[in-house]
Amino acid sequence: WGGGLARLNTLTSKVKHWRNETDNPFSLSYNDVWAVFEDRKGRIWVGTNGGGLNLHIGEVHNYFNNWSSNKDDEQRLSSNSIYTICESISGNKSDEKTILWIGTANGLNKFVVKNDLDNSNGSKLDVEINYFTVEDGLADNAIESILEDENGNLWIGTSSGISFFNIKDEHFTNYTIADGLSGSSFNSSAAFKTSNGTILFGSTNGLNYFKPERIKQSIYSPSVVITDLEILNQPADIENKSSSNTSIFNSVELDLAHNQNDFSFQFASLDFNAPEMNQYAYFMEGFDSDWIYSGKRRFVTYTNLDPGEYVFLVKATNSDGLWNEQPAKIYIVINPPFWRTWWAYTIYVIAFIGSLYLIRATELRRRRKKEEERLRREKEEARLREAELKAVNIEQEKELEKHKIRNRIAQDLHDEIGSNLSSISLMSELIQNDDNINAEASEKIKRIHKVAKGSTQAMRDIVWLTNPSSDSLKDLIAKMKEVAENTLGKFALSFDYPKALADINLLPET
């Protein structure tokens, strides 16, 4: 109770004490000692309630080795609270190793000292530790006492009954008040095996004793039945389709609507020796991936199952844990809603194909109209281009006609009037030189010659303006130069213009 470890020498009545020393790693690991055990090699093992397991190393060294649940240790215990220690004798025929079964607050630990021939003092131990908990089938993780029977198997007193541990297949069988125990909670270290093999356990409600060889497992394989079915939290009224079944619900086929996909089952194992010890497992084919072991729970609920076909199976054990491998079953069909039936999907497919056809037809109609509109615009544009081309041709024909008229006028002026004016000018000049003409007539002839000459020059300008070949910038500049020279010929004249001129046609008005 927190006072450390004490050793009483019964010959001298002297007491030696060991306690935890914070600055000494080889001292006792914890002062609250709950278990002291001496193995076959005379070594003293000390279990503490908080500091793990200690091994006292002889009188010469007088120190302790320690094993704990420290996560940094490669070989560690399942708990630092150790309540009982038991050495395997019948289950270990070898002197080369020592096997200790250690009961802790968190399961059963198998503590194996390997190659244990030359290390009796425990100075250099090769240790391997494994442990078992309720997840492996143990009745309770708090182990108060351990006894080994003649076959090397273990009888374990826990806080929830007695567990039998078969060391060969490492299988647990649990016993409770339902099996005849006076109580389920056992006291620490309150266990003893007599010389005739009788095992005694002390519980909080009294003494229990038995001979292990008389404890037989039931081989009765009970039937399991489905006792109740609720759909949407309401009792189901199901007609039995097989009168040979034990339960009215066994092998019944349930035909459910899509909105009846929430339902629950209740079931029972027909072993009445200790019904509260029966175990159950269930499996919904088409939904569960494997068997679900529910322990003593006798019901299961499924919600929101998808439409489809399922098979619900349930199996159970007898009170000693023997499974019946012939499960009860119910075939379940959850029908889809009408919008998910085959004929609904057929309508969907037809509607989809019809929609595609309608879309395609609409698209083809739109393309056809678009093509017709394009052809109409092209025809209209072609007609416009043709009209424009005709207009251009008419305009060109008009221009060409104008050019012809101008050429004809220029030619007529040059050939007829120009020729006549030249003739008048020449004749007046000849008459003017005639000696037979008097002075007055000569003066008149001079005026006629002058007018004829001026008219000839004016006619030349009119012909130049009328002739289409004069409608260019080069001709205009050449004409301007000519007029300038004729007009200003008496003065020093410099006429400047670009030497490189583009071929630019001018309007007659210009």
Side-chain angles (χ1 to χ4, degrees):
W1 301 104
L5 178 68
R7 184 184 65 187
L8 170 65
N9 188 322
T10 58
L11 298 179
T12 63
S13 297
K14 292 183 179 180
V15 179
K16 181 176 178 58
H17 293 278
W18 292 271
R19 292 184 176 87
N20 175 258
E21 302 171 11
T22 56
D23 57 347
N24 182 7
F26 298 103
S27 66
L28 185 67
S29 63
Y30 204 71
N31 287 331
D32 194 7
V33 177
W34 278 50
V36 180
F37 180 80
E38 182 181 11
D39 66 15
R40 288 184 297 178
K41 297 182 181 296
R43 294 173 295 202
I44 302 298
W45 299 86
V46 181
T48 67
N49 186 24
L53 179 68
N54 294 264
L55 173 61
H56 180 251
I57 306 300
E59 293 295 333
V60 177
H61 301 287
N62 201 23
Y63 67 87
F64 295 87
N65 281 347
N66 174 252
W67 292 267
S68 69
S69 61
N70 191 330
K71 293 183 178 180
D72 295 332
D73 293 339
E74 183 177 353
Q75 296 296 333
R76 57 183 179 270
L77 300 170
S78 62
S79 172
N80 282 334
S81 296
I82 296 175
Y83 300 149
T84 185
I85 303 173
C86 173
E87 183 179 7
S88 177
I89 304 298
S90 300
N92 180 24
K93 304 299 183 181
S94 173
D95 289 333
E96 296 181 359
K97 64 180 179 179
T98 297
I99 300 176
L100 299 180
W101 293 101
I102 300 172
T104 73
N106 187 33
L108 174 68
N109 288 246
K110 184 179 182 181
F111 189 95
V112 181
V113 182
K114 300 183 292 185
N115 301 324
D116 199 23
L117 288 176
D118 301 326
N119 295 313
S120 60
N121 64 352
S123 59
K124 295 180 180 179
L125 298 182
D126 183 11
V127 173
E128 179 181 348
I129 302 174
N130 295 297
Y131 56 86
F132 306 88
T133 65
V134 292
E135 295 181 357
D136 302 299
L138 189 62
D140 194 289
N141 281 336
I143 297 177
E144 307 294 344
S145 55
I146 304 173
L147 291 177
E148 184 184 42
D149 64 18
E150 301 299 328
N151 296 319
N153 298 317
L154 304 181
W155 295 87
I156 304 168
T158 74
S159 295
S160 300
I162 293 177
S163 288
F164 170 74
F165 183 61
N166 188 314
I167 62 172
K168 291 183 179 180
D169 57 13
E170 295 185 344
H171 174 72
F172 288 94
T173 302
N174 300 317
Y175 301 93
T176 65
I177 295 176
D179 299 294
L181 297 178
S182 61
S184 293
S185 181
F186 288 84
N187 293 318
S188 178
S189 300
F192 184 74
K193 185 175 73 171
T194 67
S195 58
N196 67 358
T198 300
I199 288 179
L200 299 93
F201 279 98
S203 74
T204 56
N205 288 342
L207 181 66
N208 303 266
Y209 62 94
F210 57 90
K211 284 200 172 185
E213 63 270 17
R214 296 186 62 184
I215 305 298
K216 302 295 183 181
Q217 297 295 312
S218 172
I219 61 173
Y220 170 64
S221 180
S223 298
V224 59
V225 295
I226 299 172
T227 60
D228 194 16
L229 168 65
E230 289 187 354
I231 301 175
L232 301 175
N233 295 323
Q234 298 296 323
D237 184 14
I238 303 299
E239 180 183 356
N240 185 17
K241 297 184 179 180
S242 178
S243 59
S244 62
N245 292 306
T246 306
S247 168
I248 191 172
F249 294 110
N250 286 11
S251 297
V252 167
E253 181 175 317
L254 298 181
D255 194 10
L256 304 177
H258 71 93
N259 57 353
Q260 293 180 310
N261 59 350
D262 291 357
F263 47 80
S264 59
F265 297 102
Q266 292 186 21
F267 33 82
S269 174
L270 300 183
D271 180 9
F272 304 106
N273 182 41
E276 65 275 14
M277 298 302 297
N278 297 338
Q279 305 283 318
Y280 299 91
Y282 56 87
F283 177 43
M284 180 71 82
E285 290 183 358
F287 182 78
D288 296 325
S289 58
D290 201 353
W291 284 93
I292 298 175
Y293 292 86
S294 59
K296 300 176 183 179
R297 179 165 57 86
R298 299 191 304 107
F299 66 91
V300 62
T301 300
Y302 288 95
T303 60
N304 296 325
L305 266 67
D306 294 330
E309 297 183 358
Y310 303 90
V311 181
F312 176 73
L313 302 98
V314 58
K315 62 182 180 179
T317 69
N318 61 16
S319 57
D320 285 335
L322 178 65
W323 286 98
N324 176 3
E325 297 301 333
Q326 295 296 325
K329 63 178 66 176
I330 287 184
Y331 299 92
I332 304 168
V333 176
I334 301 178
N335 294 295
F338 70 89
W339 59 86
R340 292 179 60 182
T341 57
W342 66 267
W343 52 267
Y345 284 113
T346 302
I347 293 175
Y348 299 155
V349 171
I350 294 174
F352 179 72
I353 295 175
S355 298
L356 291 180
Y357 176 78
L358 182 61
I359 293 173
R360 181 61 177 171
T362 303
E363 178 66 16
L364 291 176
R365 196 160 48 246
R366 187 185 65 82
R367 289 185 180 180
R368 187 166 58 251
K369 288 183 178 180
K370 187 176 180 180
E371 183 67 16
E372 292 174 355
E373 180 65 20
R374 184 184 65 81
L375 293 175
R376 187 190 63 78
R377 287 199 304 268
E378 288 181 354
K379 290 180 179 179
E380 186 68 23
E381 290 174 357
R383 285 196 296 270
L384 290 175
R385 286 195 299 270
E386 184 179 0
E388 291 175 355
L389 185 59
K390 288 182 179 180
V392 170
N393 291 335
I394 292 173
E395 188 66 26
Q396 289 178 349
E397 290 177 356
K398 289 181 179 180
E399 290 296 324
L400 183 59
E401 186 66 24
K402 288 180 181 180
H403 280 230
K404 290 180 178 180
I405 294 173
R406 290 176 63 189
N407 281 330
R408 188 166 57 252
I409 292 173
Q411 186 175 358
D412 290 345
L413 289 174
H414 180 272
D415 293 343
E416 299 295 334
I417 301 177
S419 177
N420 293 334
L421 290 175
S422 296
S423 299
I424 292 172
S425 176
L426 179 60
M427 291 176 63
S428 61
E429 186 176 0
L430 292 174
I431 294 172
Q432 183 181 351
N433 293 326
D434 190 353
D435 294 335
N436 297 321
I437 300 301
N438 56 32
E440 183 180 357
S442 177
E443 186 63 26
K444 292 180 181 180
I445 292 301
K446 284 182 181 180
R447 285 200 300 270
I448 291 172
H449 175 72
K450 184 176 181 180
V451 172
K453 188 174 182 181
S455 298
T456 300
Q457 183 62 34
M459 182 58 62
R460 187 180 300 114
D461 292 339
I462 292 172
V463 170
W464 179 84
L465 289 172
T466 304
N467 193 344
S469 61
S470 301
D471 294 345
S472 69
L473 183 59
K474 290 182 179 180
D475 290 336
L476 176 61
I477 292 176
K479 188 64 176 177
M480 291 169 65
K481 181 179 179 182
E482 178 185 348
V483 171
E485 289 177 349
N486 291 335
T487 304
L488 304 173
K490 297 181 180 180
F491 303 96
L493 177 65
S494 175
F495 190 84
D496 296 327
Y497 61 95
K499 297 300 185 289
L501 292 174
D503 292 333
I504 300 175
N505 289 328
L506 302 174
L507 296 175
E509 292 80 1
T510 305

